[in-house]
Short mmCIF file of all heavy atoms in Angstrom, two decimals:
data_model
loop_
_atom_site.label_atom_id
_atom_site.label_comp_id
_atom_site.label_asym_id
_atom_site.label_seq_id
_atom_site.Cartn_x
_atom_site.Cartn_y
_atom_site.Cartn_z
N VAL A 1 87.11 128.62 14.78
CA VAL A 1 86.56 129.42 15.96
C VAL A 1 86.69 130.84 15.62
O VAL A 1 85.74 131.63 15.82
CB VAL A 1 87.28 129.06 17.24
CG1 VAL A 1 86.90 130.05 18.37
CG2 VAL A 1 87.04 127.60 17.66
N ALA A 2 87.89 131.29 15.10
CA ALA A 2 88.05 132.71 14.77
C ALA A 2 87.10 133.17 13.65
O ALA A 2 86.58 134.27 13.73
CB ALA A 2 89.49 132.95 14.32
N GLY A 3 86.90 132.25 12.67
CA GLY A 3 85.95 132.56 11.52
C GLY A 3 84.51 132.86 12.03
O GLY A 3 83.85 133.76 11.60
N ILE A 4 84.05 131.90 12.88
CA ILE A 4 82.72 132.06 13.40
C ILE A 4 82.62 133.32 14.25
O ILE A 4 81.64 134.10 14.18
CB ILE A 4 82.31 130.79 14.26
CG1 ILE A 4 82.23 129.59 13.31
CG2 ILE A 4 80.93 131.03 14.87
CD1 ILE A 4 81.25 129.68 12.21
N ALA A 5 83.58 133.55 15.17
CA ALA A 5 83.59 134.69 16.08
C ALA A 5 83.69 136.00 15.29
O ALA A 5 83.17 137.01 15.74
CB ALA A 5 84.71 134.59 17.09
N ALA A 6 84.23 135.94 14.08
CA ALA A 6 84.42 137.18 13.34
C ALA A 6 83.07 137.61 12.79
O ALA A 6 82.95 138.82 12.32
CB ALA A 6 85.38 136.94 12.14
N ILE A 7 82.08 136.80 12.81
CA ILE A 7 80.75 137.24 12.28
C ILE A 7 80.18 138.40 13.13
O ILE A 7 79.47 139.22 12.64
CB ILE A 7 79.77 136.01 12.32
CG1 ILE A 7 80.20 134.94 11.36
CG2 ILE A 7 78.31 136.51 12.03
CD1 ILE A 7 79.39 133.71 11.39
N GLY A 8 80.54 138.47 14.38
CA GLY A 8 80.06 139.51 15.25
C GLY A 8 78.76 139.06 16.02
O GLY A 8 78.52 137.91 16.08
N ASP A 9 78.05 139.98 16.45
CA ASP A 9 76.81 139.67 17.19
C ASP A 9 75.78 139.14 16.21
O ASP A 9 75.26 139.81 15.30
CB ASP A 9 76.26 141.02 17.83
CG ASP A 9 75.12 140.74 18.82
OD1 ASP A 9 74.57 139.63 18.70
OD2 ASP A 9 74.82 141.66 19.60
N LEU A 10 75.34 137.93 16.49
CA LEU A 10 74.35 137.31 15.56
C LEU A 10 73.07 138.03 15.53
O LEU A 10 72.40 138.07 14.46
CB LEU A 10 74.13 135.83 16.05
CG LEU A 10 75.20 134.86 15.87
CD1 LEU A 10 74.94 133.52 16.54
CD2 LEU A 10 75.49 134.59 14.36
N ARG A 11 72.67 138.70 16.61
CA ARG A 11 71.41 139.46 16.58
C ARG A 11 71.45 140.74 15.77
O ARG A 11 70.43 141.28 15.40
CB ARG A 11 70.97 139.84 18.01
CG ARG A 11 70.67 138.58 18.87
CD ARG A 11 70.49 138.97 20.32
NE ARG A 11 71.70 139.58 20.86
CZ ARG A 11 71.75 140.00 22.14
NH1 ARG A 11 70.70 139.88 23.01
NH2 ARG A 11 72.92 140.56 22.59
N LYS A 12 72.67 141.21 15.52
CA LYS A 12 72.87 142.47 14.79
C LYS A 12 73.15 142.23 13.26
O LYS A 12 73.32 143.20 12.55
CB LYS A 12 73.90 143.29 15.42
CG LYS A 12 73.59 143.75 16.83
CD LYS A 12 74.68 144.64 17.41
CE LYS A 12 74.35 145.04 18.84
NZ LYS A 12 75.43 145.85 19.42
N LEU A 13 73.30 140.99 12.88
CA LEU A 13 73.67 140.80 11.53
C LEU A 13 72.53 141.16 10.55
O LEU A 13 72.82 141.73 9.47
CB LEU A 13 74.01 139.28 11.32
CG LEU A 13 75.33 138.87 11.88
CD1 LEU A 13 75.58 137.34 11.62
CD2 LEU A 13 76.49 139.65 11.31
N GLY A 14 71.31 140.86 10.94
CA GLY A 14 70.21 141.23 10.10
C GLY A 14 70.18 140.58 8.73
O GLY A 14 70.74 139.52 8.52
N SER A 15 69.59 141.27 7.80
CA SER A 15 69.36 140.70 6.44
C SER A 15 70.66 140.45 5.69
O SER A 15 70.75 139.45 4.93
CB SER A 15 68.47 141.63 5.65
OG SER A 15 69.03 142.90 5.49
N VAL A 16 71.65 141.27 5.91
CA VAL A 16 72.90 141.07 5.19
C VAL A 16 73.57 139.77 5.65
O VAL A 16 74.06 138.91 4.84
CB VAL A 16 73.88 142.22 5.39
CG1 VAL A 16 75.29 141.92 4.87
CG2 VAL A 16 73.31 143.50 4.81
N GLY A 17 73.62 139.53 6.96
CA GLY A 17 74.33 138.36 7.48
C GLY A 17 73.71 137.05 7.05
O GLY A 17 74.40 136.17 6.49
N TRP A 18 72.40 136.86 7.24
CA TRP A 18 71.83 135.57 6.95
C TRP A 18 71.81 135.27 5.48
O TRP A 18 72.00 134.13 5.04
CB TRP A 18 70.46 135.43 7.57
CG TRP A 18 69.36 136.12 6.89
CD1 TRP A 18 68.80 137.34 7.26
CD2 TRP A 18 68.63 135.64 5.73
NE1 TRP A 18 67.72 137.66 6.42
CE2 TRP A 18 67.55 136.69 5.47
CE3 TRP A 18 68.62 134.52 4.97
CZ2 TRP A 18 66.71 136.49 4.46
CZ3 TRP A 18 67.71 134.42 3.90
CH2 TRP A 18 66.79 135.39 3.62
N ARG A 19 71.71 136.33 4.63
CA ARG A 19 71.73 136.10 3.18
C ARG A 19 73.11 135.70 2.75
O ARG A 19 73.24 134.74 1.94
CB ARG A 19 71.30 137.38 2.45
CG ARG A 19 69.81 137.61 2.41
CD ARG A 19 69.45 138.85 1.65
NE ARG A 19 68.03 138.99 1.44
CZ ARG A 19 67.19 139.63 2.27
NH1 ARG A 19 67.70 140.20 3.34
NH2 ARG A 19 65.91 139.73 1.98
N ALA A 20 74.15 136.33 3.26
CA ALA A 20 75.51 136.00 2.92
C ALA A 20 75.86 134.56 3.33
O ALA A 20 76.40 133.77 2.57
CB ALA A 20 76.47 136.97 3.49
N LEU A 21 75.49 134.26 4.55
CA LEU A 21 75.77 132.91 5.10
C LEU A 21 75.06 131.84 4.37
O LEU A 21 75.62 130.74 4.08
CB LEU A 21 75.45 132.80 6.58
CG LEU A 21 76.31 133.67 7.51
CD1 LEU A 21 75.77 133.62 8.97
CD2 LEU A 21 77.78 133.16 7.49
N LEU A 22 73.82 132.10 4.00
CA LEU A 22 73.06 131.11 3.20
C LEU A 22 73.70 130.87 1.85
O LEU A 22 73.83 129.69 1.39
CB LEU A 22 71.62 131.64 3.04
CG LEU A 22 70.65 130.74 2.18
CD1 LEU A 22 70.54 129.39 2.87
CD2 LEU A 22 69.36 131.38 2.00
N LEU A 23 74.09 131.97 1.17
CA LEU A 23 74.75 131.82 -0.14
C LEU A 23 76.04 131.11 0.02
O LEU A 23 76.44 130.27 -0.85
CB LEU A 23 74.95 133.14 -0.77
CG LEU A 23 73.69 133.83 -1.30
CD1 LEU A 23 73.97 135.27 -1.80
CD2 LEU A 23 73.08 133.05 -2.51
N PHE A 24 76.86 131.36 1.04
CA PHE A 24 78.05 130.63 1.29
C PHE A 24 77.90 129.16 1.42
O PHE A 24 78.56 128.35 0.82
CB PHE A 24 78.79 131.23 2.52
CG PHE A 24 79.42 132.59 2.39
CD1 PHE A 24 79.60 133.36 3.54
CD2 PHE A 24 79.67 133.10 1.16
CE1 PHE A 24 80.16 134.63 3.40
CE2 PHE A 24 80.24 134.37 1.01
CZ PHE A 24 80.45 135.10 2.12
N VAL A 25 76.90 128.80 2.25
CA VAL A 25 76.62 127.33 2.48
C VAL A 25 76.09 126.67 1.23
O VAL A 25 76.58 125.58 0.89
CB VAL A 25 75.65 127.17 3.69
CG1 VAL A 25 75.21 125.65 3.79
CG2 VAL A 25 76.25 127.68 5.02
N VAL A 26 75.16 127.23 0.57
CA VAL A 26 74.55 126.61 -0.61
C VAL A 26 75.58 126.48 -1.74
O VAL A 26 75.69 125.36 -2.33
CB VAL A 26 73.35 127.41 -1.10
CG1 VAL A 26 72.84 126.90 -2.46
CG2 VAL A 26 72.22 127.33 -0.06
N THR A 27 76.34 127.55 -2.01
CA THR A 27 77.28 127.46 -3.09
C THR A 27 78.45 126.49 -2.71
O THR A 27 78.99 125.79 -3.58
CB THR A 27 77.88 128.83 -3.38
OG1 THR A 27 78.45 129.43 -2.20
CG2 THR A 27 76.85 129.71 -4.00
N GLY A 28 78.75 126.41 -1.40
CA GLY A 28 79.79 125.48 -1.01
C GLY A 28 79.39 123.98 -1.22
O GLY A 28 80.19 123.19 -1.66
N GLN A 29 78.11 123.75 -0.90
CA GLN A 29 77.62 122.42 -1.12
C GLN A 29 77.50 122.01 -2.62
O GLN A 29 77.89 120.92 -2.98
CB GLN A 29 76.26 122.24 -0.46
CG GLN A 29 76.24 121.99 1.01
CD GLN A 29 76.83 120.53 1.32
OE1 GLN A 29 76.16 119.55 1.01
NE2 GLN A 29 78.01 120.52 1.89
N ILE A 30 77.15 122.97 -3.40
CA ILE A 30 77.07 122.70 -4.85
C ILE A 30 78.44 122.51 -5.40
O ILE A 30 78.73 121.51 -6.20
CB ILE A 30 76.46 123.92 -5.58
CG1 ILE A 30 74.98 124.07 -5.21
CG2 ILE A 30 76.54 123.79 -7.09
CD1 ILE A 30 74.30 125.30 -5.81
#
């Protein structure tokens, strides 16, 4: 819960946020 909440406002993340999260998920699955 703390980790997800630490992301901040989802609408303000912009290009940095979704790219980082995508790389985290993809590399984690690999």
Side-chain angles (χ1 to χ4, degrees):
V1 174
I4 296 300
I7 294 175
D9 189 344
L10 289 173
R11 295 173 300 181
K12 296 180 180 179
L13 287 180
S15 58
V16 172
W18 75 260
R19 284 183 170 88
L21 292 173
L22 179 63
L23 287 173
F24 288 157
V25 172
V26 171
T27 56
Q29 277 292 292
I30 293 174

